[in-house]
Amino acid sequence: MRAHGVVATQMEQVATASGVSKSQLYHHFPTKTSLVHAVIDLRAEDLLALHTEVLANVRSVRGLERWRDIVVGRLATVHGAFGCQLGTIATEIIEDDDVARASLQGYFHDWEDLLAAALSAMVEDGELTDRADPRALAQQIMVALQGGYLLSQVDRSEEPMRRGLDMAIDHVRTFQSSLPTD
């Protein structure tokens, strides 16, 4: 599904790629929709685990830059291909699958919450001034992140992601206290 998309992937291809019989596949996933929902959950768990681990330690703008470096580095290993693990599925199915749309919405909000928590910690630690709105900044970073995934996929380069996140982090920096910490 990651390589060919949800719509183009057939259950028979999944059975062959996973080395199981079609009857085994259909035993666990009676419909393609049930398989897609499981794929969404699996991808979201992996993605959120990575970002949870990294963002839990972000207490400074430099920490955000380290997070950016990890995101960009992972994208560089595939030359910008495939886009966001959740975003690519979302663009294919959200209009036709309300359950998947609600699930994806929840996962994107969870991801944004991780960013907001890191930014809130930066405010609490005095890295950012009280004028900073962690929720709004987190959403702005998510917008840059998702745009970065799309444009990196089109360009087959991690540079659009780097530029988008740099722009978002530069905006966060405008709220930095006069004595930045590391």
Side-chain angles (χ1 to χ4, degrees):
M1 287 185 188
R2 183 155 170 95
H4 303 290
V6 173
V7 175
T9 300
Q10 301 298 315
M11 291 292 276
E12 294 76 19
Q13 293 171 301
V14 174
T16 300
S18 62
V20 300
S21 69
K22 286 195 301 186
S23 64
Q24 285 177 312
L25 180 64
Y26 280 105
H27 174 74
H28 294 285
F29 305 103
T31 65
K32 183 176 174 183
T33 299
S34 64
L35 176 62
V36 170
H37 293 175
V39 168
I40 290 169
D41 292 341
L42 179 65
R43 286 186 181 176
E45 288 170 15
D46 289 346
L47 189 84
L48 291 173
L50 168 73
H51 290 274
T52 297
E53 181 180 337
V54 176
L55 289 168
N57 297 314
V58 170
R59 306 296 273 196
S60 65
V61 171
R62 180 64 195 124
L64 275 179
E65 291 170 339
R66 286 190 288 268
W67 167 78
R68 178 219 44 220
D69 293 344
I70 290 168
V71 171
V72 171
R74 290 174 55 90
L75 202 53
T77 64
V78 294
H79 308 290
F82 306 116
C84 174
Q85 295 183 44
L86 298 179
T88 53
I89 291 176
T91 59
E92 279 194 82
I93 66 171
I94 59 170
E95 296 304 323
D96 300 321
D97 186 337
D98 289 338
V99 172
R101 187 196 64 72
S103 179
L104 286 161
Q105 181 184 38
Y107 288 131
F108 278 115
H109 286 167
D110 291 345
W111 198 353
E112 190 176 300
D113 288 346
L114 294 172
L115 287 161
L119 293 159
S120 291
M122 292 168 67
V123 171
E124 291 168 17
D125 289 353
E127 169 76 5
L128 301 179
T129 67
D130 290 339
R131 293 182 309 110
D133 179 346
R135 176 64 50 200
L137 291 170
Q139 189 173 56
Q140 291 165 359
I141 293 170
M142 282 296 293
V143 169
L145 182 70
Q146 289 305 310
Y149 273 122
L150 176 62
L151 294 177
S152 289
Q153 184 178 13
V154 170
D155 286 356
R156 291 292 194 253
S157 167
E158 72 280 3
E159 284 309 308
M161 176 67 81
R162 181 183 319 279
R163 289 184 190 111
L165 291 179
D166 282 348
M167 180 182 64
I169 292 170
D170 283 347
H171 182 62
V172 170
R173 197 175 273 113
T174 67
F175 295 97
Q176 206 166 13
S177 299
S178 59
L179 298 173
T181 60
D182 187 41

